[in-house]
Amino acid sequence: MAFEIDQDLVLRLKKIVSEELPLSKLSDDELRSEIEIIVDEQTRHQYFSISKKVSLVDQVYSSIRGFGLLDSIISDDTITEVMINGPDNVFIEKNGKLTKYSVTFENQRRLEDIIQRIVGLAGREVNQANPICDTRLPDGSRVNAIIPPLALDGASVTIRKFASKKLTTEDLVNFGSMTQNIADFMAEAVKARQNIVISGGTGSGKTTLLNVLSQFIPLEERLVTIEDSAELKLSHRNLVRLESRPANIEGRGRIAIRDLLVNSLRMRPDRIIIGECRAGEALDMLQAMNTGHAESAAKSLKTQNAQKKRQSKNRL
């Protein structure tokens, strides 16, 4: 019950702040300072610990300039995924388990305002003419948003968070995700410049594995990454990160992954890393695998076929 009381207090404080302060004229720092003063005034007749007051200030500020309850979720490193099915149904994944979150959005309009704020950070917008958007948060978390009329029960948001700590093959072995032999084999395959395709279901760890394998790429090589929404975390010096772009409201200006892939071949890459293939870019990727590489998937297949023919002749 204490949490529900806090939420009522946050709403009351937010109303006071909105009515008493010229929000559009205040910078973020100025607004936070003013909120601190109002929180002190409104709670002076009750005991609130310093941490409690700081939390109130954060929640009020977040409800006005931040992402509302998403701020507290995003700051929780134990939460790996957030699924919002309308303002009253928020689910989180923590330690591999899916549970319903105890907090909800004030209303549908508040949720849509937060969605617009999120997509606006990347210079995008969501509306009835363009009701689907893939983007990311400042911390790199991947965001998919879809609003009515496509989402029948209210705006839906899915956020995939990524670990702040870079995982290694040692971590994956300790987690039981792979054996040490497989880890050693994959490391050698990367160093030998073999073509690698990672596939798997949603949430199976494709991006995590790709990030881990990229650590075996020599730092002096030139890398080009191509993604729908940037989420790979590479530390190479000679790195070019490309991101596709959806069409504008008029249906123009779209830059697809396959367009970026074709262009990347003119950028003198040692390695091309494609975040995800879902459509026609798969053909372009296969063609790219056969250009400028000492060993390609097609060449490997020819070699295997030749070996089988020789073995068949020897048996005869």
Side-chain angles (χ1 to χ4, degrees), residues 187-212:
E188 291 303 318
V190 173
K191 293 174 184 177
R193 300 169 66 89
Q194 298 296 301
N195 294 316
I196 298 175
V197 177
I198 301 173
S199 65
T202 301
S204 60
K206 299 184 296 294
T207 302
T208 298
L209 178 58
L210 182 53
N211 275 314
V212 169

PDB file of all heavy atoms in Angstrom, residues 187-212:
ATOM      1  N   ALA A 187      35.796 -19.088 -31.642  1.00  0.00           N
ATOM      2  CA  ALA A 187      36.865 -18.091 -31.630  1.00  0.00           C
ATOM      3  C   ALA A 187      37.803 -18.296 -32.817  1.00  0.00           C
ATOM      4  O   ALA A 187      38.194 -17.337 -33.502  1.00  0.00           O
ATOM      5  CB  ALA A 187      37.636 -18.164 -30.317  1.00  0.00           C
ATOM      6  N   GLU A 188      38.168 -19.548 -33.089  1.00  0.00           N
ATOM      7  CA  GLU A 188      39.057 -19.845 -34.211  1.00  0.00           C
ATOM      8  C   GLU A 188      38.374 -19.559 -35.543  1.00  0.00           C
ATOM      9  O   GLU A 188      39.011 -19.112 -36.499  1.00  0.00           O
ATOM     10  CB  GLU A 188      39.518 -21.302 -34.149  1.00  0.00           C
ATOM     11  CG  GLU A 188      40.469 -21.601 -33.000  1.00  0.00           C
ATOM     12  CD  GLU A 188      41.709 -20.715 -33.041  1.00  0.00           C
ATOM     13  OE1 GLU A 188      42.262 -20.507 -34.147  1.00  0.00           O
ATOM     14  OE2 GLU A 188      42.108 -20.222 -31.971  1.00  0.00           O
ATOM     15  N   ALA A 189      37.064 -19.813 -35.623  1.00  0.00           N
ATOM     16  CA  ALA A 189      36.330 -19.545 -36.857  1.00  0.00           C
ATOM     17  C   ALA A 189      36.332 -18.055 -37.182  1.00  0.00           C
ATOM     18  O   ALA A 189      36.475 -17.657 -38.346  1.00  0.00           O
ATOM     19  CB  ALA A 189      34.894 -20.063 -36.730  1.00  0.00           C
ATOM     20  N   VAL A 190      36.184 -17.214 -36.141  1.00  0.00           N
ATOM     21  CA  VAL A 190      36.214 -15.764 -36.353  1.00  0.00           C
ATOM     22  C   VAL A 190      37.606 -15.323 -36.789  1.00  0.00           C
ATOM     23  O   VAL A 190      37.774 -14.552 -37.745  1.00  0.00           O
ATOM     24  CB  VAL A 190      35.789 -15.020 -35.070  1.00  0.00           C
ATOM     25  CG1 VAL A 190      35.987 -13.517 -35.242  1.00  0.00           C
ATOM     26  CG2 VAL A 190      34.344 -15.326 -34.725  1.00  0.00           C
ATOM     27  N   LYS A 191      38.616 -15.810 -36.106  1.00  0.00           N
ATOM     28  CA  LYS A 191      39.991 -15.422 -36.441  1.00  0.00           C
ATOM     29  C   LYS A 191      40.379 -15.883 -37.842  1.00  0.00           C
ATOM     30  O   LYS A 191      41.164 -15.222 -38.527  1.00  0.00           O
ATOM     31  CB  LYS A 191      40.952 -16.008 -35.412  1.00  0.00           C
ATOM     32  CG  LYS A 191      40.801 -15.424 -34.015  1.00  0.00           C
ATOM     33  CD  LYS A 191      41.672 -16.146 -32.992  1.00  0.00           C
ATOM     34  CE  LYS A 191      41.435 -15.617 -31.586  1.00  0.00           C
ATOM     35  NZ  LYS A 191      42.220 -16.371 -30.573  1.00  0.00           N
ATOM     36  N   ALA A 192      39.808 -17.011 -38.285  1.00  0.00           N
ATOM     37  CA  ALA A 192      40.106 -17.539 -39.616  1.00  0.00           C
ATOM     38  C   ALA A 192      39.249 -16.880 -40.701  1.00  0.00           C
ATOM     39  O   ALA A 192      39.294 -17.297 -41.854  1.00  0.00           O
ATOM     40  CB  ALA A 192      39.887 -19.048 -39.625  1.00  0.00           C
ATOM     41  N   ARG A 193      38.457 -15.891 -40.337  1.00  0.00           N
ATOM     42  CA  ARG A 193      37.646 -15.105 -41.277  1.00  0.00           C
ATOM     43  C   ARG A 193      36.596 -15.966 -41.988  1.00  0.00           C
ATOM     44  O   ARG A 193      36.296 -15.762 -43.161  1.00  0.00           O
ATOM     45  CB  ARG A 193      38.545 -14.401 -42.305  1.00  0.00           C
ATOM     46  CG  ARG A 193      39.546 -13.442 -41.690  1.00  0.00           C
ATOM     47  CD  ARG A 193      40.575 -12.993 -42.722  1.00  0.00           C
ATOM     48  NE  ARG A 193      39.934 -12.202 -43.760  1.00  0.00           N
ATOM     49  CZ  ARG A 193      39.763 -10.874 -43.711  1.00  0.00           C
ATOM     50  NH1 ARG A 193      40.184 -10.201 -42.642  1.00  0.00           N
ATOM     51  NH2 ARG A 193      39.195 -10.228 -44.698  1.00  0.00           N
ATOM     52  N   GLN A 194      36.032 -16.902 -41.262  1.00  0.00           N
ATOM     53  CA  GLN A 194      34.965 -17.718 -41.824  1.00  0.00           C
ATOM     54  C   GLN A 194      33.651 -16.935 -41.803  1.00  0.00           C
ATOM     55  O   GLN A 194      33.421 -16.090 -40.937  1.00  0.00           O
ATOM     56  CB  GLN A 194      34.799 -19.013 -41.020  1.00  0.00           C
ATOM     57  CG  GLN A 194      36.026 -19.917 -41.025  1.00  0.00           C
ATOM     58  CD  GLN A 194      36.340 -20.419 -42.424  1.00  0.00           C
ATOM     59  OE1 GLN A 194      35.514 -21.068 -43.048  1.00  0.00           O
ATOM     60  NE2 GLN A 194      37.519 -20.108 -42.911  1.00  0.00           N
ATOM     61  N   ASN A 195      32.804 -17.205 -42.789  1.00  0.00           N
ATOM     62  CA  ASN A 195      31.473 -16.603 -42.785  1.00  0.00           C
ATOM     63  C   ASN A 195      30.619 -17.284 -41.723  1.00  0.00           C
ATOM     64  O   ASN A 195      30.580 -18.513 -41.650  1.00  0.00           O
ATOM     65  CB  ASN A 195      30.811 -16.774 -44.155  1.00  0.00           C
ATOM     66  CG  ASN A 195      31.534 -15.991 -45.227  1.00  0.00           C
ATOM     67  OD1 ASN A 195      31.909 -14.847 -45.016  1.00  0.00           O
ATOM     68  ND2 ASN A 195      31.730 -16.612 -46.379  1.00  0.00           N
ATOM     69  N   ILE A 196      29.953 -16.493 -40.904  1.00  0.00           N
ATOM     70  CA  ILE A 196      29.168 -17.032 -39.795  1.00  0.00           C
ATOM     71  C   ILE A 196      27.763 -16.449 -39.844  1.00  0.00           C
ATOM     72  O   ILE A 196      27.586 -15.235 -39.946  1.00  0.00           O
ATOM     73  CB  ILE A 196      29.824 -16.699 -38.434  1.00  0.00           C
ATOM     74  CG1 ILE A 196      31.214 -17.345 -38.348  1.00  0.00           C
ATOM     75  CG2 ILE A 196      28.951 -17.174 -37.280  1.00  0.00           C
ATOM     76  CD1 ILE A 196      31.981 -16.970 -37.103  1.00  0.00           C
ATOM     77  N   VAL A 197      26.772 -17.323 -39.784  1.00  0.00           N
ATOM     78  CA  VAL A 197      25.378 -16.902 -39.708  1.00  0.00           C
ATOM     79  C   VAL A 197      24.825 -17.358 -38.360  1.00  0.00           C
ATOM     80  O   VAL A 197      24.908 -18.543 -38.021  1.00  0.00           O
ATOM     81  CB  VAL A 197      24.543 -17.506 -40.848  1.00  0.00           C
ATOM     82  CG1 VAL A 197      23.076 -17.105 -40.698  1.00  0.00           C
ATOM     83  CG2 VAL A 197      25.065 -17.045 -42.206  1.00  0.00           C
ATOM     84  N   ILE A 198      24.286 -16.431 -37.602  1.00  0.00           N
ATOM     85  CA  ILE A 198      23.711 -16.738 -36.291  1.00  0.00           C
ATOM     86  C   ILE A 198      22.190 -16.686 -36.422  1.00  0.00           C
ATOM     87  O   ILE A 198      21.632 -15.679 -36.845  1.00  0.00           O
ATOM     88  CB  ILE A 198      24.179 -15.733 -35.227  1.00  0.00           C
ATOM     89  CG1 ILE A 198      25.705 -15.753 -35.108  1.00  0.00           C
ATOM     90  CG2 ILE A 198      23.535 -16.026 -33.877  1.00  0.00           C
ATOM     91  CD1 ILE A 198      26.263 -14.676 -34.205  1.00  0.00           C
ATOM     92  N   SER A 199      21.531 -17.770 -36.065  1.00  0.00           N
ATOM     93  CA  SER A 199      20.069 -17.803 -36.160  1.00  0.00           C
ATOM     94  C   SER A 199      19.489 -18.326 -34.848  1.00  0.00           C
ATOM     95  O   SER A 199      20.167 -19.021 -34.089  1.00  0.00           O
ATOM     96  CB  SER A 199      19.619 -18.695 -37.326  1.00  0.00           C
ATOM     97  OG  SER A 199      19.986 -20.039 -37.092  1.00  0.00           O
ATOM     98  N   GLY A 200      18.239 -17.996 -34.603  1.00  0.00           N
ATOM     99  CA  GLY A 200      17.599 -18.435 -33.371  1.00  0.00           C
ATOM    100  C   GLY A 200      16.300 -17.694 -33.149  1.00  0.00           C
ATOM    101  O   GLY A 200      16.001 -16.710 -33.839  1.00  0.00           O
ATOM    102  N   GLY A 201      15.530 -18.151 -32.192  1.00  0.00           N
ATOM    103  CA  GLY A 201      14.243 -17.537 -31.886  1.00  0.00           C
ATOM    104  C   GLY A 201      14.401 -16.207 -31.168  1.00  0.00           C
ATOM    105  O   GLY A 201      15.501 -15.804 -30.773  1.00  0.00           O
ATOM    106  N   THR A 202      13.275 -15.527 -30.985  1.00  0.00           N
ATOM    107  CA  THR A 202      13.264 -14.242 -30.292  1.00  0.00           C
ATOM    108  C   THR A 202      13.767 -14.406 -28.858  1.00  0.00           C
ATOM    109  O   THR A 202      13.325 -15.300 -28.138  1.00  0.00           O
ATOM    110  CB  THR A 202      11.835 -13.662 -30.260  1.00  0.00           C
ATOM    111  OG1 THR A 202      11.372 -13.515 -31.600  1.00  0.00           O
ATOM    112  CG2 THR A 202      11.811 -12.324 -29.555  1.00  0.00           C
ATOM    113  N   GLY A 203      14.714 -13.556 -28.465  1.00  0.00           N
ATOM    114  CA  GLY A 203      15.230 -13.589 -27.102  1.00  0.00           C
ATOM    115  C   GLY A 203      16.176 -14.734 -26.824  1.00  0.00           C
ATOM    116  O   GLY A 203      16.492 -15.005 -25.662  1.00  0.00           O
ATOM    117  N   SER A 204      16.644 -15.415 -27.872  1.00  0.00           N
ATOM    118  CA  SER A 204      17.524 -16.574 -27.660  1.00  0.00           C
ATOM    119  C   SER A 204      18.984 -16.186 -27.451  1.00  0.00           C
ATOM    120  O   SER A 204      19.806 -17.044 -27.122  1.00  0.00           O
ATOM    121  CB  SER A 204      17.405 -17.547 -28.836  1.00  0.00           C
ATOM    122  OG  SER A 204      17.773 -16.915 -30.050  1.00  0.00           O
ATOM    123  N   GLY A 205      19.318 -14.910 -27.680  1.00  0.00           N
ATOM    124  CA  GLY A 205      20.683 -14.460 -27.433  1.00  0.00           C
ATOM    125  C   GLY A 205      21.526 -14.268 -28.680  1.00  0.00           C
ATOM    126  O   GLY A 205      22.763 -14.306 -28.613  1.00  0.00           O
ATOM    127  N   LYS A 206      20.890 -14.029 -29.829  1.00  0.00           N
ATOM    128  CA  LYS A 206      21.631 -13.843 -31.084  1.00  0.00           C
ATOM    129  C   LYS A 206      22.566 -12.638 -31.014  1.00  0.00           C
ATOM    130  O   LYS A 206      23.757 -12.735 -31.340  1.00  0.00           O
ATOM    131  CB  LYS A 206      20.655 -13.683 -32.250  1.00  0.00           C
ATOM    132  CG  LYS A 206      19.749 -14.884 -32.482  1.00  0.00           C
ATOM    133  CD  LYS A 206      18.883 -14.703 -33.717  1.00  0.00           C
ATOM    134  CE  LYS A 206      17.910 -13.537 -33.592  1.00  0.00           C
ATOM    135  NZ  LYS A 206      16.887 -13.766 -32.540  1.00  0.00           N
ATOM    136  N   THR A 207      22.031 -11.508 -30.567  1.00  0.00           N
ATOM    137  CA  THR A 207      22.845 -10.298 -30.488  1.00  0.00           C
ATOM    138  C   THR A 207      23.939 -10.443 -29.444  1.00  0.00           C
ATOM    139  O   THR A 207      25.070  -9.989 -29.640  1.00  0.00           O
ATOM    140  CB  THR A 207      21.957  -9.085 -30.158  1.00  0.00           C
ATOM    141  OG1 THR A 207      20.952  -8.952 -31.161  1.00  0.00           O
ATOM    142  CG2 THR A 207      22.787  -7.803 -30.112  1.00  0.00           C
ATOM    143  N   THR A 208      23.621 -11.078 -28.338  1.00  0.00           N
ATOM    144  CA  THR A 208      24.630 -11.308 -27.295  1.00  0.00           C
ATOM    145  C   THR A 208      25.787 -12.122 -27.842  1.00  0.00           C
ATOM    146  O   THR A 208      26.958 -11.787 -27.639  1.00  0.00           O
ATOM    147  CB  THR A 208      23.999 -12.033 -26.093  1.00  0.00           C
ATOM    148  OG1 THR A 208      22.970 -11.214 -25.527  1.00  0.00           O
ATOM    149  CG2 THR A 208      25.047 -12.338 -25.030  1.00  0.00           C
ATOM    150  N   LEU A 209      25.469 -13.196 -28.564  1.00  0.00           N
ATOM    151  CA  LEU A 209      26.518 -14.045 -29.134  1.00  0.00           C
ATOM    152  C   LEU A 209      27.328 -13.286 -30.170  1.00  0.00           C
ATOM    153  O   LEU A 209      28.556 -13.404 -30.215  1.00  0.00           O
ATOM    154  CB  LEU A 209      25.891 -15.294 -29.763  1.00  0.00           C
ATOM    155  CG  LEU A 209      26.875 -16.264 -30.435  1.00  0.00           C
ATOM    156  CD1 LEU A 209      27.930 -16.740 -29.443  1.00  0.00           C
ATOM    157  CD2 LEU A 209      26.131 -17.449 -31.038  1.00  0.00           C
ATOM    158  N   LEU A 210      26.649 -12.480 -30.983  1.00  0.00           N
ATOM    159  CA  LEU A 210      27.353 -11.701 -32.003  1.00  0.00           C
ATOM    160  C   LEU A 210      28.326 -10.721 -31.360  1.00  0.00           C
ATOM    161  O   LEU A 210      29.462 -10.549 -31.821  1.00  0.00           O
ATOM    162  CB  LEU A 210      26.340 -10.964 -32.880  1.00  0.00           C
ATOM    163  CG  LEU A 210      26.899 -10.135 -34.042  1.00  0.00           C
ATOM    164  CD1 LEU A 210      27.822 -10.980 -34.918  1.00  0.00           C
ATOM    165  CD2 LEU A 210      25.759  -9.571 -34.873  1.00  0.00           C
ATOM    166  N   ASN A 211      27.896 -10.072 -30.282  1.00  0.00           N
ATOM    167  CA  ASN A 211      28.788  -9.158 -29.563  1.00  0.00           C
ATOM    168  C   ASN A 211      29.989  -9.896 -28.983  1.00  0.00           C
ATOM    169  O   ASN A 211      31.120  -9.394 -29.001  1.00  0.00           O
ATOM    170  CB  ASN A 211      28.027  -8.439 -28.443  1.00  0.00           C
ATOM    171  CG  ASN A 211      27.296  -7.203 -28.930  1.00  0.00           C
ATOM    172  OD1 ASN A 211      27.854  -6.396 -29.662  1.00  0.00           O
ATOM    173  ND2 ASN A 211      26.055  -7.050 -28.533  1.00  0.00           N
ATOM    174  N   VAL A 212      29.748 -11.090 -28.463  1.00  0.00           N
ATOM    175  CA  VAL A 212      30.836 -11.880 -27.888  1.00  0.00           C
ATOM    176  C   VAL A 212      31.834 -12.283 -28.967  1.00  0.00           C
ATOM    177  O   VAL A 212      33.053 -12.133 -28.805  1.00  0.00           O
ATOM    178  CB  VAL A 212      30.274 -13.125 -27.175  1.00  0.00           C
ATOM    179  CG1 VAL A 212      31.405 -14.095 -26.820  1.00  0.00           C
ATOM    180  CG2 VAL A 212      29.533 -12.724 -25.904  1.00  0.00           C
TER     181      VAL A 212
END
